[in-house]
Amino acid sequence: MSIILGIESSCDETAAALVTSDRQIMAHALAGQEAAHAPFGGVVPEIAARAHAEILTSLIGNALSEAGISLNSVDAVAATAGPGLIGGVMVGLVTGKALAMALDKPLIAVNHLEGHALSPRLANPELEFPYLLLLASGGHCQILRVEGVNDYRRLATTIDDAAGEAFDKTAKILGLGYPGGPKVETLAQTGDPQAVPLPRPLKGSAEPHFSFAGLKSAVVRAHEEGIHKDEDIAAAFQQAVVDCLEDRLEKAIAEHDPVPHLVVAGGVAANQPIREMLEQMAEKHGMKFTAPPLWLCTDNAAMIGWAGAERFATGLTDSLDFAARPRWPLDPDAAKARGAGVKA
Ligand code: KG4
Ligand code: ZN
């Protein structure tokens, strides 16, 4: 059994966790930066990097004391090395390198997306490769076939905005503040999804990808009309996202080799109506369904520690001169989607 220290700092959560190769989460500590970014309605990179630098070391200390172990018990240090906001990524990666060097233990440079992609295996020991994964977060919306550790086939991605980004923008338009996903979901509970007609971009299209920019513009127009209730706009928007995700996943399931398991990960996986739609889809296709617990869906360090543990177990460690990668696709061989698409 090995103990991995996980470090996450790629966006607006600073986090440290201690995870074992046999799936024990010994400790996880997390500090959000919502208050710092709220006045700006989104994450400000410079503010984020400074906030990570101010708090990361004490979070690692908290995690160690929660686990009741000393740094010397750590077998490897796993830090997010991208993709994400470069300043924040550097803070976590440099800290990870310093600890690895001081302890003379291996460094594992983790792709943040691999953290999300493997997090369902931390939550569910029965989830085996390969599986079909919807990875939907603030920066990404992809359908992946997860073949194994370090082995991903991207079946679809967004040609413009990510699903979480669309939630955040809708929240901003409705004056709900940041971060938007949970706030839109809550408001949508009291709204009528039929009350506001909104488009389903790329639904039914021959290409496999997602698009959410047109939906966001339609939300802006609906709001400007001044005749719709905010809760109806929120409900209609959320339903449109559910429909788009469903349509694109159905296409992926129809067009690729069957896999026994449907899995969702990333911050948007915290959304209850999306989880319900996926659960029903899995049932319809005779697939098992796994969604990690809510706290493991949004950014955290346990998933980075776990991805580190999976890589460590496969002998994948990195050199101390590993450079941070603000852009870092999981499937480097995937053809470019229309538009620019692949956001970091
Ligand atoms: O994975 P994550 O924590 O950070 C990134 O790597 O991007 O995802 C954050 C995204 C945000 O866009 C947030 O609005 C969205 O996930 N999100 C949600 C919900 N909770 C978080 N979107 C919809 N419904 C939610 N309940
Ligand atoms: Zn994330």
Side-chain angles (χ1 to χ4, degrees), residues 201-261:
L202 290 191
K203 188 175 170 192
S205 88
E207 62 187 321
H209 301 302
F210 298 98
S211 167
F212 294 103
L215 176 57
K216 174 198 65 190
S217 313
V219 168
V220 172
R221 285 193 298 275
H223 186 246
E224 280 171 359
E225 279 175 45
I227 52 167
H228 300 293
K229 291 191 216 149
D230 282 1
E231 56 267 38
D232 290 344
I233 295 177
F237 161 79
Q238 184 173 258
Q239 189 58 50
V241 174
V242 168
D243 291 350
C244 291
L245 295 175
E246 182 177 19
D247 179 70
R248 306 287 73 195
L249 271 163
E250 284 287 3
K251 184 176 171 68
I253 291 172
E255 293 182 357
H256 295 277
D257 291 342
V259 283
H261 227 115

Side-chain angles (χ1 to χ4, degrees), residues 6-10 19 25 78-83 108-123 127 129 131 133-137 140 142 144 146 148-152 263-267 269 292-293 295-311 328-330:
I7 296 173
E8 161 60 30
S9 60
S10 66
V19 178
I25 299 166
T80 297
I108 302 158
V110 174
N111 183 320
H112 178 86
L113 298 174
E114 182 163 53
H116 280 301
L118 296 177
S119 66
R121 280 170 51 83
L122 170 58
L127 174 57
F129 301 120
Y131 52 89
L133 174 72
L134 171 66
L135 173 51
S137 69
H140 297 267
Q142 307 187 348
L144 296 154
V146 181
V149 177
N150 206 33
D151 189 1
Y152 301 88
V263 179
V264 64
W295 74 269
L296 205 52
C297 288
T298 46
D299 287 350
N300 65 85
M303 70 181 193
I304 304 303
W306 174 251
E310 294 245 49
R311 293 182 76 87
W328 186 1
L330 271 182

Side-chain angles (χ1 to χ4, degrees), residues 83-84 111 113 135 138-144 154 156-162 165 209-210 325-344:
N111 183 320
L113 298 174
L135 173 51
H140 297 267
C141 190
Q142 307 187 348
I143 302 173
L144 296 154
R154 198 197 70 196
T157 187
T158 178
I159 61 163
D160 42 54
D161 293 353
E165 198 176 351
H209 301 302
F210 298 98
R325 297 187 61 180
R327 283 166 190 271
W328 186 1
L330 271 182
D331 177 1
D333 300 327
K336 265 208 169 137
R338 175 156 65 93
V342 207
K343 293 192 178 183

Side-chain angles (χ1 to χ4, degrees), residues 54-134:
E54 277 167 4
I55 203 164
L56 179 57
T57 325
S58 61
L59 278 186
I60 294 172
N62 293 352
L64 288 165
S65 46
E66 190 189 324
I69 60 166
S70 76
L71 257 184
N72 289 318
S73 315
V74 168
D75 295 295
V77 181
T80 297
L85 302 172
I86 185 73
V89 171
M90 297 277 286
V91 169
L93 183 57
V94 166
T95 305
K97 285 178 179 178
L99 288 171
M101 192 190 285
L103 296 168
D104 197 20
K105 297 282 165 67
L107 170 79
I108 302 158
V110 174
N111 183 320
H112 178 86
L113 298 174
E114 182 163 53
H116 280 301
L118 296 177
S119 66
R121 280 170 51 83
L122 170 58
N124 180 2
E126 280 157 27
L127 174 57
E128 283 173 14
F129 301 120
Y131 52 89
L132 190 69
L133 174 72
L134 171 66

